[in-house]
Amino acid sequence: MTCIVGVAKGGKVYIGADSLGSNGFTKEIRKECKVFKNGDFLIGGTTSFRMLDLLKWKFNPPTVKDGDDLHKFMVVDFVESVRNLFTSNGFSITSDDWKSGEFIVGVKGRLFRISGDFHVSEHDYVSCGSGEYHAVGCLYNSKLSKPKEDIIKALECAENFVVSVSRPFTVLCI
């Protein structure tokens, strides 16, 4: 229950997030930020605060080497490291399938969405969480000329129409 928004523009990646935590019945404004830097990576996510804690505090991301095919790196090396992290910490294991939360990753000026089944897709702009449709619609209408401001507007749009999105907003850049 959240809204995470990312934009890749001019060799930089911007990711913004709201601060609401909700179980569908109650809500609280969380002090823990849903977007953070980890080494060369900018990560923002939804679904599980445990997942975000692991990605922020325990994840040692693999190193992108010059000349690497970045999309292949994300699919093979990055996701493999994330799955190992989750397994070794008892997260994302179910009886019949691998499951994760959804998160957005910025690295080397490019933006990727990691879906709940660990599928990797690349985007110029993307959102995840309960406010994603409103946020992406807002970004579609923007010129993406001022990424930080565009992300704030997208988060405001989601907040206006989706009960599980709320301020304060945080936007980071890498």
Side-chain angles (χ1 to χ4, degrees), residues 12-135:
K12 294 185 178 183
V13 175
Y14 304 78
I15 298 178
D18 76 323
S19 297
L20 189 70
S22 174
N23 63 6
F25 299 101
T26 62
K27 65 180 186 174
E28 71 174 328
I29 300 300
R30 301 289 299 234
K31 290 184 180 185
E32 303 87 5
C33 195
K34 299 175 193 176
V35 59
F36 50 87
K37 293 178 183 177
N38 183 336
D40 294 332
F41 298 87
L42 182 59
I43 300 171
T46 181
T47 313
S48 167
F49 285 102
R50 173 66 175 155
M51 177 192 77
L52 294 175
D53 286 344
L54 291 172
L55 289 170
K56 184 175 183 177
W57 301 114
K58 289 197 82 171
F59 186 43
N60 186 15
T63 303
V64 181
K65 297 176 192 79
D66 289 337
D68 278 351
D69 177 319
L70 193 52
H71 191 266
K72 179 181 177 184
F73 168 86
M74 292 299 292
V75 170
V76 177
D77 300 319
F78 187 86
V79 164
E80 178 75 17
S81 293
V82 169
R83 286 178 62 161
N84 288 337
L85 168 77
F86 290 172
T87 301
S88 65
N89 288 278
F91 179 76
S92 80
I93 302 168
T94 66
S95 60
D96 60 352
D97 200 3
W98 280 86
K99 299 276 186 218
S100 172
E102 294 193 53
F103 56 103
I104 297 171
V105 179
V107 60
K108 303 255 184 222
R110 291 169 64 187
L111 182 64
F112 299 90
R113 178 178 176 159
I114 314 298
S115 297
D117 66 353
F118 296 101
H119 168 73
V120 176
S121 56
E122 185 172 2
H123 305 270
D124 293 326
Y125 62 92
V126 70
S127 182
C128 63
S130 57
E132 74 180 273
Y133 303 120
H134 294 85

